[in-house]
Amino acid sequence: MSFSIGFDEVKSKAQILNAIPLDILDVEHLHYKDKCTFDNFVEKYKITDHAIATLALIVRAADTDRH
């Protein structure tokens, strides 16, 4: 089964759920320069946990192929 929804539907549903939409056009959190969405999210919310920093390396490598 295929499931597809549009960007506008994601944004409106996120607003209803008080959620943060990621990785779609015209939202705050997405890839920027050499950073992946996860990097931007961690930076914005000033998350300094060592485990999250380690996870960010893994996510960045998987998401951008930059190890």
Side-chain angles (χ1 to χ4, degrees), residues 11-63:
K11 288 189 265 186
S12 66
K13 188 62 90 169
Q15 188 172 24
I16 291 167
L17 297 171
N18 196 30
I20 300 171
L22 302 171
D23 268 348
I24 61 171
L25 295 175
D26 298 324
V27 299
E28 180 178 8
H29 296 289
L30 47 104
H31 289 236
Y32 182 72
K33 294 185 179 179
D34 63 338
K35 296 180 180 178
C36 71
T37 303
F38 193 80
D39 290 321
N40 289 323
F41 191 82
V42 169
E43 184 176 301
K44 175 180 175 139
Y45 293 102
K46 297 174 177 42
I47 301 170
T48 59
D49 185 278
H50 179 69
I52 297 298
T54 300
L55 180 60
L57 294 171
I58 297 166
V59 171
R60 186 179 318 111
D63 196 19

